[in-house]
Amino acid sequence: MQREVREFVATCHLAKGALVTSLTLMDPQALENDARAAVADASSTDDVERIRVEYLGRKSQLKLALREVRDRETGMALNALRERLAAAIDGREGELARAEIDRRLTEERVDVTMPGSPVRRGHLHLITQIRREVEDIFLGLGYTVVDGREVETTRYNFDALNFPDGHPSRSPLQTLFLDDDTVLRTETSPAQIRTMEAQGPPVYIVSLGRVYRRDTPDATHTPTFHQVEGLVVDEGITLADLMGTLDYLLKALFGEARRTEFRTHHFPFTEPSIEAHVSCHMCDGSGCPVCRHSGWIEIGGAGMVDPKLFEFVGYDSDRYTGFAFGWGLERIAVLRHGIPDLRELWRNDPRLLSQF
Amino acid sequence: MRAPLSWLREYVTVDAPADEIARRLSISSLEVERVIYVGVADVDGNLGRFLVGRVIAVEPHPNADRLRVCHVDVGEGEARQIVCGAWNFEAGATVAVALPGARLPILDVPLDERELRGQHSRGMILAEDEIGLGDDHAGIMVLAEGPEPGTPLVDVLPIHDRVLDVTPTINRVDLLSMVGLAREVSALFDGDFHPPAADDPAIVDREDVDVTVEDFGGCPRYIGRVFRDVSIGPSPQWLRSRLFLAEMRSISNVVDVTNYAMHVWGSPLHAFDRTRLAGARVVVRRARPGEELRTLDGTLRRLTTDDLMITDGERSVALAAIMGGEESEVTAETNEVLLEAANFEPLGILRSSERLALRTAGSNRWEKGVDPYLAEPAAVLASRMIVDLAGARMTGHVDVQSGLPERPVVRLRTDRASRLIGLVVAPDEQRSLLERLEFEVSPEWDVTVPTWRARDVTREVDVIEEVARVVLDRVPHTMPLRRHVRGRLSKDQRLRRLVEDVLVGAGLSEAYTWSLAASDPDSRAIRLPDPMTSDQAILRTTLFPGLIEAARTGLDAGAVDIALFEIARVYLPSDEQLPDEHWRVAGVVAGGYEAVKGVLEVLYAALQLDLRVERGQHSLLHPGKSATTEAGWLGELHPTLLDGVWGAFELDLTTLFAPVPERVVYEDVLTFPAVLQDIAVTVDEDVEAGALVDAAREAAGPLLREARVFDVYRGEQVGHGRKSVAIHLAFQSPERTLTEEEATAFRDEIVALLVERFGAELRA
Ligand SMILES: [Zn+2]
């Protein structure tokens, strides 16, 4: 469209000059001289474009002359002239275009330190990030992820897990009851029992999610928190396999340079039971406030599945052995990311959410 | 519990230093919270500057009324002159002396020889707090006679010690005793174990001890012993020091003895002033309704019929296993003592101590189940000490019991132990370490469990644990064989991650809010009968209030452009025992209906779903700006809920994910170009854009690839109560290039249907 406008303007200009567009009157040499002079004078690509219309456009003298020409020789001469002019115009246009780009490249600048156009970015919650990291570690080892349920029967939350009568966890002082037989799960382990009930061995699962305890909130306790629990049941599973698996997990989470140590412990659902410790990632074992000057950090409990659990779900405890472990995800957040107060993970202050 | 190593080493011969003992114990036996360094430093011969001295003479200080000049024999031949400010001794006393140059924990610089008011002083007679053996500064330590002057003080008192601060797991109450710890150390280091073997004092002028146990369930054993001619007084310094290092307060010789014997054997004891027991009897029974007892700490306790009491037949004199009563307490005037070495059943004690919020060193042991056999050695040790330290005669003894439990016998397969551990532990080694722990092992591998482990070790796997824990730091790290595994997320788990990622990409941040809420829009929502706080009382049926609260937190923090989501469960009441748990995703975004609709369009598109909405109602939403989808709802937040204009949504994930296709199948949109046509029609204001688009699709059929409303115009030109809706149409065939004429024909059919159905007028 722009080009048509330009041609229109050029034609008017010609009309004003009262030139008669007739072959007989046109002097090719003069025309070429005029055109070349105009081209040489052009100072912008726009100028060149105007000149192109004037001398080579649909209503230019040359075009009209070409339309009227009858003899071959004149036609060839005029065509040659047209090509020469076109080449001159193209050449000049190229020069000017390069000059213009050069000028833009020298003149145009931005303050590269200015901020870019804003793009809103969301953030996954830190605990979700840790949850996925742990899930991915175990998916890589061939485990499946089990969701479980959060409201549980005491049968699955306590009985099946071999919690003896009088165990402190069974007390309403520690556990949130819906009624005598129903609780908010105090660990994700009921999912292990339900999985074993639903399928035979082998079992390789991790279960992650919310658990509930009657804890008064403070910097290191929230009444709801998150656990990861793992369960393996197969032929020939050993305590050494448990330690190897936890060693792998701890190094994945805290760095390949970490050392692990396992200490004897006691839980109702495992026998033998151990507790995993990892060398402090802050001081590498030499002692600092994070590890309370011991060089070691306690991560969580684990052990070989107690035969009573196999009895409950009908597995042959002579043929199959297994291991289980259960840790808090918040503890990883505290240790690895320095979260000073767990309650902040539930306040959702955007200044905190957007850090991770 | 605190375990001074000097004390421990009396029962076990082991060369290992404190830190090594602590390390092995913490791996194989119990938690060692820390190793506490106490007493005086063992550097540059410092210990050699602490000696036993005998005071030869004491004279008044010529220039100071409060000081005295002492001459003290420290085995050097000639007595040293030492100026002393204490008055609790006279010539002949055996004392502890620090020589000049000694470094004391309370001084920054070594002790000097110096002039005190003109009198030369060549050392210091020590009080217990000056070398970390107590907190008494009323006088200097007067030691028992015996050690010769010049004896190194460290041979007499634990002036240089390491104290282990240990916490056993709930099943190892046997480790709440010096004997139990020594046995453990002996097993781990293969050191000689020699528990205290006190000579039981002979009974003189025998008399009957009247003990009746009415409730053997609560009290399976009661040893009662009677002592006469008891002289209550302070304990000797060695006993005071041991108790101090074990974090117990010295009270009097007899009370200290009961605490000491408990610490040694792990079976708590109690001493009564026998003359305060009506008829000098003991009856063990449950409390009567409304009964009260003022315990040793001065508190009047209201009892229930579940509480087990020690009574004298008429009234309660002690809260059994937890705390004695004030009235029958041993005092300075006591001269007849009834010593109780009993055994109590754990559960009842736990319940009583929890209910009364009263935990003592005794209840802490009883509630874990103390071995009833231990009552006897504890009674013997305490009796010996009462006779020796309080000059008493033992005149009576009774042991009332309902029969002591059998020791469990378990068959061990040593190869199974090795297989479960994942480390070959030679049978000989298994036998030897079990025997060091005082399990008896027959040639056929029948393992008889010692009485103090009888509650905990009853099965083969429990015995295997004993082996495993001792060899724990030798167990290699291996990986399970994993012959049959399938490590992948389920479809729903994958899609949940996708939803998280899409929403984060759309600028929403993930919030975590509590499952328990103060209130819930559903009146049937499950309410906890005994919530922790009223804020966390109801299991939520919607994620929504939590997110509003989170958005408010953001506003208060001064944030702008807040956009939050959460993926979590809701708990819908059901007819079953357990509620229906459903995964939901919900969001709150600044900016009203269009903002939230945009977010959901992106989300649905990412899931390969069409977002179809219908006008709907929701109590939390603006009634004119709310809609439902198959999976939930969306709309503008009701303006009374939060300042500003907000969009909100909540979707059930199972419903949302059900139609998500397993895979996307290729459709040829490249070979033949689409023909684009736009139309604008005027319709009545209440005609919904979605209805126009649906009609367009109905009229044109599958070749209408896209129909999208891109402009709505209201104004004079279209008339009052009308609006102009501009729709972008794209026609495309996967098989051929459509002509303009075909597209125009489709367009005309669309317009015709819009005219017919909605009274539309074509504008362009
Ligand atoms: Zn550290």
Side-chain angles (χ1 to χ4, degrees):
Chain A
M1 187 202 272
Q2 212 177 358
R3 186 165 186 133
E4 282 167 5
V5 171
R6 284 195 201 122
E7 284 191 25
F8 176 72
V9 170
T11 311
C12 291
H13 174 69
L14 287 175
K16 247 193 198 164
L19 286 167
V20 182
T21 58
S22 151
L23 179 63
T24 49
L25 287 179
M26 197 195 74
D27 175 352
Q29 187 57 52
L31 183 81
E32 181 166 1
N33 291 346
D34 287 353
R36 285 187 181 279
V39 165
D41 277 353
S43 60
S44 72
T45 50
D46 283 354
D47 286 352
V48 175
E49 211 46 46
R50 209 172 306 117
I51 292 161
R52 188 192 300 275
V53 171
E54 183 177 343
Y55 290 95
L56 300 175
R58 267 195 296 153
K59 294 179 180 165
S60 64
Q61 276 185 310
L62 185 54
K63 199 79 176 180
L64 294 175
L66 272 168
R67 212 171 289 159
E68 288 171 16
V69 74
R70 291 296 176 265
D71 67 300
R72 186 167 172 272
E73 200 169 319
T74 313
M76 281 172 59
L78 287 180
N79 262 327
L81 172 60
R82 186 177 59 90
E83 280 167 23
R84 284 200 302 280
L85 287 183
I89 288 169
D90 286 350
R92 181 65 182 155
E93 188 174 37
E95 267 169 41
L96 287 170
R98 275 192 301 280
E100 277 167 29
I101 284 181
D102 284 348
R103 196 176 62 245
R104 279 181 56 197
L105 293 179
T106 29
E107 285 176 2
E108 291 178 358
R109 285 174 81 81
V110 294
D111 177 350
V112 295
T113 63
M114 284 290 284
S117 316
V119 176
R120 192 165 71 177
R121 180 193 153 207
H123 301 263
L124 279 182
H125 195 277
L126 176 60
I127 295 295
T128 297
Q129 296 183 33
I130 294 171
R131 188 201 78 213
R132 284 194 187 187
E133 197 178 333
V134 173
E135 282 176 356
D136 289 344
I137 289 167
F138 282 100
L139 289 167
L141 291 175
Y143 291 51
T144 44
V145 178
V146 170
D147 289 326
R149 48 175 309 128
E150 295 177 14
V151 183
E152 266 296 358
T153 63
T154 49
R155 184 173 147 80
Y156 282 96
N157 196 77
F158 295 129
D159 302 348
L161 293 166
N162 197 32
F163 279 87
D165 278 349
H167 191 282
S169 294
R170 285 185 182 261
S171 156
L173 295 174
Q174 291 202 6
T175 297
L176 290 161
F177 281 82
L178 267 60
D179 57 46
D180 286 350
D181 307 316
T182 315
V183 296
L184 294 179
R185 67 175 177 189
T186 57
E187 61 280 310
T188 50
S189 328
Q192 303 179 0
I193 301 294
R194 288 183 182 275
T195 302
M196 286 194 282
E197 274 189 339
Q199 67 166 88
V203 176
Y204 291 83
I205 58 166
V206 283
S207 161
L208 299 92
R210 294 183 176 203
V211 299
Y212 302 84
R213 306 251 172 106
R214 203 181 187 95
D215 277 332
T216 307
D218 61 23
T220 55
H221 295 87
T222 50
T224 307
F225 59 100
H226 298 79
Q227 270 194 344
V228 50
E229 292 207 331
L231 171 72
V232 167
V233 182
D234 205 341
E235 290 176 338
I237 297 297
T238 67
L239 184 62
D241 291 339
L242 170 58
M243 291 183 177
T245 302
L246 296 183
D247 183 71
Y248 178 85
L249 173 60
L250 286 172
K251 284 176 172 153
L253 288 173
F254 290 97
E256 289 300 323
R258 299 285 80 74
R259 285 157 288 121
T260 50
E261 186 173 278
F262 300 97
R263 305 181 188 167
T264 191
H265 209 80
H266 175 73
F267 304 106
F269 27 83
T270 48
E271 187 85 4
S273 303
I274 57 173
E275 191 174 61
H277 294 247
V278 63
S279 60
C280 180
H281 57 290
M282 300 300 287
C283 65
D284 198 29
S286 60
C288 74
V290 169
C291 56
R292 293 193 297 157
H293 306 285
S294 71
W296 292 99
I297 289 172
E298 173 201 326
I299 299 295
M304 303 304 291
V305 178
D306 194 289
K308 287 231 179 82
L309 273 67
F310 289 152
E311 221 171 88
F312 188 92
V313 300
Y315 282 12
D316 177 352
S317 63
D318 247 6
R319 176 164 173 205
Y320 296 103
T321 51
F323 65 69
F325 59 88
W327 299 346
L329 297 184
E330 275 81 354
R331 183 140 179 82
I332 299 169
V334 167
L335 291 171
R336 218 174 58 166
H337 304 276
I339 301 291
D341 187 334
L342 289 182
R343 289 168 293 190
E344 290 301 335
L345 293 173
W346 293 90
R347 278 207 343 113
N348 304 304
D349 189 310
R351 294 167 295 186
L352 185 144
L353 291 180
S354 60
Q355 279 186 37
F356 297 100
Chain B
M1 183 180 111
R2 296 282 170 90
L5 273 185
S6 59
W7 190 351
L8 195 69
R9 288 182 199 275
E10 194 175 303
Y11 305 149
V12 59
T13 308
V14 55
D15 291 333
D19 288 341
E20 178 62 8
I21 292 174
R23 194 187 71 82
R24 292 292 305 275
L25 280 174
S26 70
I27 288 175
S28 295
S29 308
L30 80 175
E31 185 182 357
V32 181
E33 310 251 6
R34 58 204 169 117
V35 178
I36 306 160
Y37 287 49
V38 294
V40 303
D42 180 16
V43 290
D44 304 334
N46 193 43
L47 287 181
R49 300 189 188 101
F50 294 84
L51 301 172
V52 173
R54 179 158 303 124
V55 181
I56 306 293
V58 183
E59 296 156 7
H61 191 293
N63 307 321
D65 290 346
R66 297 209 178 141
L67 299 177
R68 296 193 295 178
V69 179
C70 308
H71 298 274
V72 185
D73 176 5
V74 291
E76 296 167 320
E78 194 180 330
R80 281 179 177 250
Q81 175 168 310
I82 298 176
V83 177
C84 183
W87 292 74
N88 65 323
F89 66 98
E90 293 305 332
T94 304
V95 296
V97 176
L99 303 183
R103 291 170 180 276
L104 278 75
I106 54 158
L107 294 180
D108 294 334
V109 292
L111 191 65
D112 259 351
E113 273 190 40
R114 54 180 175 150
E115 298 289 321
L116 280 168
R117 298 283 187 101
Q119 288 292 320
H120 204 59
S121 185
R122 299 177 57 223
M124 183 168 167
I125 303 177
L126 296 164
E128 62 182 19
D129 68 328
E130 287 161 345
I131 48 172
L133 286 183
D135 46 21
D136 188 359
H137 194 67
I140 55 97
M141 292 185 283
V142 178
L143 307 183
E145 280 173 41
E148 286 302 309
T151 305
L153 189 59
V154 71
D155 293 350
V156 180
L157 290 176
I159 63 167
H160 169 78
D161 210 351
R162 301 283 178 267
V163 179
L164 305 181
D165 184 3
V166 298
T167 309
T169 47
I170 194 167
N171 59 323
R172 291 304 306 273
V173 64
D174 63 300
L175 295 184
L176 284 176
S177 71
M178 297 303 297
V179 165
L181 284 172
R183 181 186 299 114
E184 203 72 13
V185 170
S186 118
L188 298 180
F189 290 89
D190 204 3
D192 228 18
F193 176 51
H194 28 85
D199 281 338
D200 203 5
I203 295 178
V204 290
D205 306 329
R206 178 182 292 275
E207 61 184 315
D208 282 345
V209 186
D210 187 354
V211 171
T212 309
V213 175
E214 288 184 0
D215 190 331
F216 279 115
C219 175
R221 184 174 197 185
Y222 197 106
I223 295 175
R225 289 183 159 196
V226 174
F227 299 86
R228 289 181 180 268
D229 305 333
V230 180
S231 318
I232 302 297
S235 291
Q237 189 59 49
W238 70 266
L239 179 53
R240 291 174 59 85
S241 300
R242 279 202 169 169
L243 292 178
F244 179 78
L245 294 185
E247 226 183 8
M248 289 183 285
R249 213 157 51 89
S250 174
I251 293 162
S252 68
N253 48 9
V254 169
V255 175
D256 288 358
V257 162
T258 59
N259 286 329
Y260 183 81
M262 169 181 76
H263 209 70
V264 170
W265 285 104
S267 187
L269 304 99
H270 189 68
F272 297 95
D273 183 330
R274 190 174 181 238
T275 61
R276 306 294 187 95
L277 306 178
R281 327 173 41 210
V282 164
V283 177
V284 185
R285 60 159 169 81
R286 299 286 163 180
R288 305 235 157 88
E291 203 170 343
E292 290 180 332
L293 172 71
R294 191 171 294 280
T295 42
L296 273 174
D297 56 359
T299 310
L300 188 66
R301 309 274 171 183
R302 182 173 295 275
L303 308 167
T304 75
T305 52
D306 289 336
D307 295 324
L308 190 68
M309 308 307 298
I310 310 298
T311 75
D312 59 8
E314 291 175 12
R315 56 208 170 105
S316 286
V317 294
L319 192 49
I322 301 176
M323 193 177 268
E326 201 175 58
E327 254 183 79
S328 57
E329 186 183 0
V330 168
T331 66
E333 286 75 46
T334 300
N335 55 31
E336 269 182 54
V337 164
L338 183 121
L339 177 72
E340 165 193 293
N343 188 262
F344 298 104
E345 169 276 332
L347 263 187
I349 303 304
L350 175 66
R351 298 217 166 101
S352 289
S353 90
E354 265 186 1
R355 189 177 50 75
L356 295 165
L358 181 60
R359 283 174 59 90
T360 59
S363 73
N364 180 36
R365 288 175 172 83
W366 292 124
E367 71 187 23
K368 297 178 176 72
V370 175
D371 173 16
Y373 287 89
L374 293 179
E376 195 173 325
V380 169
L381 176 62
S383 303
R384 179 80 258 160
M385 291 175 73
I386 290 173
V387 168
D388 289 353
L389 301 180
R393 290 181 294 131
M394 185 163 91
T395 57
H397 160 86
V398 69
D399 183 355
V400 181
Q401 47 162 283
S402 56
L404 296 174
E406 296 280 313
R407 298 167 62 185
V409 180
V410 177
R411 175 62 66 92
L412 174 66
R413 292 167 289 174
T414 53
D415 57 331
R416 178 154 177 96
S418 291
R419 278 208 314 277
L420 188 71
I421 297 169
L423 169 75
V424 175
V425 185
D428 282 352
E429 186 183 358
Q430 296 192 33
R431 178 184 296 275
S432 129
L433 66 86
L434 285 170
E435 285 174 349
R436 292 204 299 272
L437 290 166
E438 296 193 61
F439 289 75
E440 282 165 28
V441 185
S442 79
E444 296 76 34
W445 293 95
D446 284 323
V447 177
T448 307
V449 178
T451 57
W452 52 88
R453 302 297 309 281
R455 281 174 182 272
D456 181 36
V457 181
T458 55
R459 305 167 300 168
E460 182 186 35
V461 69
D462 302 325
V463 177
I464 293 175
E465 179 176 46
E466 296 301 301
V467 176
R469 65 186 183 85
V470 176
V471 301
L472 201 59
D473 58 355
R474 279 157 48 197
V475 176
H477 295 175
T478 57
M479 283 300 231
L481 201 48
R482 287 169 289 148
R483 285 167 302 187
H484 309 281
V485 291
R486 44 185 187 287
R488 61 170 183 266
L489 293 173
S490 69
K491 177 185 170 190
D492 277 25
Q493 288 167 343
R494 257 188 304 111
L495 293 178
R496 282 207 297 270
R497 284 197 182 189
L498 180 65
V499 170
E500 289 166 355
D501 290 338
V502 168
L503 293 177
V504 164
L508 282 71
S509 283
E510 189 187 17
Y512 273 31
T513 69
W514 308 109
S515 309
L516 289 161
S519 63
D520 192 274
D522 186 342
S523 59
R524 294 167 310 141
I526 297 165
R527 186 174 287 273
L528 297 188
D530 180 24
M532 292 183 61
T533 61
S534 58
D535 279 354
Q536 300 213 350
I538 298 177
L539 278 171
R540 61 181 170 180
T541 66
T542 165
L543 304 185
F544 211 59
L547 281 175
I548 294 178
E549 192 55 45
R552 192 173 290 127
T553 301
L555 285 180
D556 291 348
V560 290
D561 207 12
I562 292 168
L564 297 170
F565 77 98
E566 177 169 28
I567 292 183
R569 286 185 243 212
V570 296
Y571 315 85
L572 308 181
S574 76
D575 296 333
E576 313 287 318
Q577 180 185 356
L578 300 175
D580 285 332
E581 296 183 10
H582 286 269
W583 286 97
R584 295 267 181 89
V585 58
V588 175
V589 293
Y593 188 83
E594 292 78 10
V596 67
K597 184 80 185 290
V599 168
L600 286 198
E601 280 166 353
V602 167
L603 178 62
Y604 274 68
L607 293 167
Q608 305 290 338
L609 298 171
D610 278 335
L611 172 60
R612 299 188 59 84
V613 305
E614 284 172 20
R615 178 166 296 281
Q617 292 291 313
H618 192 285
S619 60
L620 298 168
L621 298 181
H622 187 307
K625 303 181 180 180
S626 47
T628 60
T629 76
E630 200 164 327
W633 48 263
L634 68 154
E636 186 172 305
L637 193 59
H638 198 285
T640 55
L641 294 174
L642 197 59
D643 286 347
V645 179
W646 299 83
F649 68 91
E650 180 161 357
L651 305 174
D652 180 84
L653 288 182
T654 308
T655 316
L656 179 67
F657 293 159
V660 172
E662 279 297 330
R663 63 189 65 81
V664 176
V665 179
Y666 174 78
E667 208 180 332
D668 186 356
V669 293
L670 306 176
T671 312
F672 305 104
V675 184
L676 308 181
Q677 298 231 350
D678 292 347
I679 57 170
V681 292
T682 57
V683 290
D684 282 348
E685 187 63 64
D686 60 1
V687 174
E688 290 180 342
L692 300 178
V693 169
D694 286 348
R697 291 192 181 284
E698 184 185 328
L703 294 185
L704 175 60
R705 182 171 173 78
E706 191 190 352
R708 179 167 48 83
V709 174
F710 67 93
D711 189 35
V712 176
Y713 169 76
R714 296 174 180 84
E716 279 175 27
Q717 289 165 310
V718 294
H720 182 72
R722 303 274 284 175
K723 62 186 175 187
S724 164
V725 180
I727 306 174
H728 170 79
L729 303 169
F731 301 97
Q732 191 176 22
S733 161
E735 286 151 7
R736 62 198 170 85
T737 304
L738 297 178
T739 63
E740 285 286 343
E741 290 71 26
E742 284 174 298
T744 304
F746 281 130
R747 177 181 187 271
D748 292 345
E749 281 180 48
I750 291 171
V751 171
L753 186 61
L754 297 183
V755 169
E756 178 199 324
R757 188 169 292 172
F758 303 106
E761 290 170 53
L762 184 65
R763 291 187 71 223

